Amino acid sequence: MRVLGVDPGLTRCGVGVVDSLPGRRARMAGVGVIRSDADLSVDLRLLRIAEGLDEWIEAHVPDVVAVERVFAQHNVASVTGTAQVAGLAMLAAARRGIPVALHTPSEVKAAVTGSGRADKAQVTKMISRILRLDDPPKPADAADALALAVCHLWRPAGALQGGERHELTPAQRAWAAAEAAARRKG
């Protein structure tokens, strides 16, 4: 199974792709951050993030998109942007018939560190160890996205209803992604 983890954020949206391996192991297939300039209007920032998510989905053809479940914070502006980006990730997956799963931050931390109260440094250290990375992923948004993907591999609860994708095989999805990439270049 290939999972795209999305750590939603309006300024920095972490993305990480992880493949499952036999024996409860995993391999990183890609990691990065989609950025939007805080000087732009919100609509243009969301457009940039949406385009970046589309690029990641088309390039990596995930079987599932795991998104961090947004929780209420004291900073309403921050949680609003985060929720908007989470919605973009869910929409990008749903448009392609890719199942979506939501995981809470404490669920992700518990899955990769054993403690739902782990700090960002502990998550980064453990995700580096789990994925056998030479260097820790930076910034923390990228490490969190990988942790979301691993969490879903190990704790697949949290899947939402839509996204049944029985009609396409992995080869068909790869072909569709190649066609979409060719259309963008042409």
Side-chain angles (χ1 to χ4, degrees), residues 2-7 13-18 28-33 56 60 62 64 66 141-150:
R2 173 168 278 192
V3 179
L4 169 62
V6 178
D7 180 39
C13 176
V15 286
V17 181
V18 175
M28 182 182 76
V31 66
V33 175
W56 274 83
H60 294 282
V64 177
D141 312 272
D144 289 348
L146 290 172
L148 273 154
V150 169

Side-chain angles (χ1 to χ4, degrees), residues 3 10 13 18 35 59 65 79 87-88 92 105 109 125 157 165 175 177 182-184 186:
V3 179
L10 192 53
C13 176
V18 175
R35 297 178 189 275
V65 174
V79 76
L88 291 175
K109 292 173 185 179
K125 181 178 179 179
R165 190 166 53 172
W175 182 268
R183 280 194 304 272
R184 280 196 320 273

Side-chain angles (χ1 to χ4, degrees), residues 101-127:
L102 298 176
H103 297 281
T104 65
S106 59
E107 184 183 354
V108 173
K109 292 173 185 179
V112 299
T113 71
S115 169
R117 296 180 180 204
D119 62 25
K120 291 210 177 265
Q122 291 169 307
V123 171
T124 299
K125 181 178 179 179
M126 285 306 297
I127 205 65

Side-chain angles (χ1 to χ4, degrees), residues 58-147:
E58 289 173 14
H60 294 282
V61 193
D63 297 303
V64 177
V65 174
V67 181
E68 184 173 275
R69 184 182 298 272
V70 178
F71 62 97
Q73 298 171 324
H74 297 296
N75 185 342
V76 175
S78 175
V79 76
T80 300
T82 301
Q84 289 168 329
V85 173
L88 291 175
M90 290 185 276
L91 179 62
R95 283 188 169 151
R96 292 166 176 82
I98 301 171
V100 173
L102 298 176
H103 297 281
T104 65
S106 59
E107 184 183 354
V108 173
K109 292 173 185 179
V112 299
T113 71
S115 169
R117 296 180 180 204
D119 62 25
K120 291 210 177 265
Q122 291 169 307
V123 171
T124 299
K125 181 178 179 179
M126 285 306 297
I127 205 65
S128 298
R129 185 175 292 167
I130 290 165
L131 297 174
R132 295 182 167 94
L133 303 176
D134 293 331
D135 297 310
K138 292 181 182 174
D141 312 272
D144 289 348
L146 290 172

